[in-house]
Amino acid sequence: QAEDGIRDVERSRGLGDVYKRQGLSDTLDTAPFFIASLLLASASHGIASLAYDAWTAFTAKILFDLATVFKNAVVSVMLFRLSRDSFVKNYSIATGLEFTSQAVGLALAGVIVKLLGYEGGFILSSFLLATIFALALIGIGWRGRVVRPRKSVGSIFKGGWGLNRELWVLALSGAMLSFGTYLSHGFIPPLYFTKRYGLNEIVLSALMTLHRLSLGLPMLAAYRPIKLLKRLPPSAALAIPICVEGVSLLATPFAPSLLTAVAFWLPHDLLGASIWIPLRNEYVQRHCREDTRGLDTNKVSLVILLGGAPAPIVAGIVAEKSIGLPFIASGLIVLTAATTIFLFYKGERPSEERILNL
């Protein structure tokens, strides 16, 4: 257990004991949060099947967002604690399977809706998630374990954000990268390819499925190119695939035809995000403090999330000027994020004394 980064595990004496010692996944074993995310997602889809008014739909959306937050908050920590040396491989496979499954879901969505209707589709999804929840509950167990930290709750939050220099570089460059990426994602690709090339719903759906597969399938084997990249300095290893994404997005609106546009566009995931996402997650885990790993991880995630939050609004404003402009802005900002990483990320693991409380 010490090798996996789990120290002095004991049975919990109740929620009060857990809360007094430390917050969330740094104290309570990460398994309950992962299992809870499945239950919340199942409940969300079940409520969505009954969504005949805005408030019901709003409730379903909140539950689904909570499920996503719970899952994302602990997955990296869980995988890193299970095996540090094979984190990239395990994370790549797990995340690759998730994105590939999403692509399969996109491909089947039309058929499911046609056979079962929207309500039936949500009910089926809710049932599948509930089944996975039950299997996870049996297989992983709601163990309710606590990790005895070296610091109290008060000392953890007293020092402000308490991130070391390397985590701040990854967080702030990540916020920039998130903003740039979201400028050309979400509603922008369907809107762009429909307006520019007049695609119908079937072709557009196939293209969006291909987009998801271009991230999921290569990520299953991303640990192989990452192994080669690790021969380079950490800053270069992380900056290179981000540069590939930036160039790909920047080139897309200059394509003379649909096939060329697709060929320019897909490498942003195929050779870019499928590689830098696992690699950056490993770097984040390497720089986290052992007894506040979950807290540090989610501080970085919060900065990145806030960076991307205004992007959809900005994308809509920019797209009104020119439908290809979001891709150009996206590519330039992504390249700026890559340059920031190359110049300022050192890849060194700072000592506790070098924590920067901003």
Side-chain angles (χ1 to χ4, degrees):
Q1 290 171 333
E3 293 177 355
D4 292 335
I6 306 176
R7 289 195 178 96
D8 301 326
V9 177
E10 65 176 20
R11 287 288 173 184
S12 172
R13 295 190 294 275
L15 183 59
D17 177 71
V18 170
Y19 211 78
K20 284 186 293 183
R21 291 183 180 275
Q22 195 171 329
L24 300 179
S25 61
D26 289 316
T27 300
L28 186 63
D29 185 57
T30 49
F33 294 93
F34 181 77
I35 295 172
S37 72
L38 296 171
L39 181 60
L40 287 169
S42 176
S44 168
H45 288 212
I47 292 173
S49 68
L50 306 173
Y52 296 112
D53 57 65
W55 286 108
T56 310
F58 184 63
T59 302
K61 182 65 168 64
I62 289 177
L63 289 177
F64 185 78
D65 287 345
L66 280 174
T68 303
V69 167
F70 272 38
K71 177 185 72 69
N72 291 341
V74 299
V75 164
S76 292
V77 177
M78 288 178 69
L79 292 174
F80 193 79
R81 284 175 173 173
L82 287 171
S83 179
R84 300 180 181 218
D85 292 337
S86 57
F87 170 80
V88 168
K89 181 177 182 179
N90 293 338
Y91 183 90
S92 299
I93 293 174
T95 310
L97 285 172
E98 179 181 352
F99 284 122
T100 302
S101 298
Q102 289 178 9
V104 173
L106 282 172
L108 295 177
V111 177
I112 292 174
V113 169
K114 187 173 183 179
L115 293 175
L116 302 177
Y118 285 104
E119 295 83 357
F122 278 118
I123 291 172
L124 175 63
S125 178
S126 178
F127 173 77
L128 291 174
L129 286 165
T131 302
I132 297 170
F133 164 76
L135 293 174
L137 194 60
I138 296 170
I140 300 176
W142 198 290
R143 292 171 289 182
R145 302 187 302 174
V146 296
V147 179
R148 182 176 295 158
R150 292 175 292 181
K151 301 181 180 180
S152 65
V153 178
S155 65
I156 291 170
F157 290 97
K158 186 178 179 180
W161 276 75
L163 297 179
N164 57 54
R165 179 188 182 279
E166 305 305 296
L167 285 179
W168 272 115
V169 172
L170 291 172
L172 295 175
S173 63
M176 193 185 308
L177 178 58
S178 178
F179 180 77
T181 299
Y182 288 147
L183 277 179
S184 58
H185 281 69
F187 66 92
I188 290 296
L191 184 65
Y192 173 78
F193 284 102
T194 300
K195 281 195 171 184
R196 178 77 185 272
Y197 300 105
L199 302 186
N200 59 40
E201 290 82 354
I202 296 175
V203 177
L204 183 62
S205 176
L207 181 59
M208 294 303 104
T209 301
L210 186 61
H211 176 216
R212 187 56 65 191
L213 285 174
S214 71
L215 179 61
L217 289 179
M219 195 176 283
L220 293 171
Y223 62 91
R224 297 184 185 277
I226 288 175
K227 188 176 181 180
L228 295 176
L229 283 172
K230 283 185 174 182
R231 297 177 181 179
L232 302 172
S235 58
L238 184 55
I240 287 173
I242 295 176
C243 280
V244 171
E245 175 172 335
V247 171
S248 171
L249 295 171
L250 185 60
T252 298
F254 296 102
S257 66
L258 173 62
L259 290 179
T260 310
V262 172
F264 285 177
W265 181 55
L266 290 181
H268 79 272
D269 280 342
L270 188 67
L271 302 174
S274 66
I275 296 173
W276 68 253
I277 289 176
L279 185 57
R280 186 181 70 181
N281 271 277
E282 185 193 31
Y283 286 167
V284 168
Q285 293 303 315
R286 294 290 181 187
H287 295 300
C288 288
R289 294 166 290 177
E290 195 59 65
D291 55 348
T292 56
R293 179 171 303 283
L295 187 62
D296 288 351
T297 299
N298 286 287
K299 285 176 180 177
V300 174
S301 297
L302 177 60
V303 175
I304 294 173
L305 181 65
L306 291 175
I313 298 175
V314 177
I317 296 172
V318 172
E320 285 189 348
K321 306 294 183 182
S322 172
I323 192 60
L325 200 53
F327 286 97
I328 297 173
S330 175
L332 291 174
I333 295 172
V334 168
L335 288 172
T336 303
T339 304
T340 302
I341 290 169
F342 183 76
L343 293 176
F344 297 105
Y345 180 65
K346 305 300 182 185
E348 301 171 352
R349 185 183 176 96
S351 64
E352 292 287 336
E353 288 73 27
R354 295 175 62 190
I355 300 301
L356 304 180
N357 294 314
L358 301 184

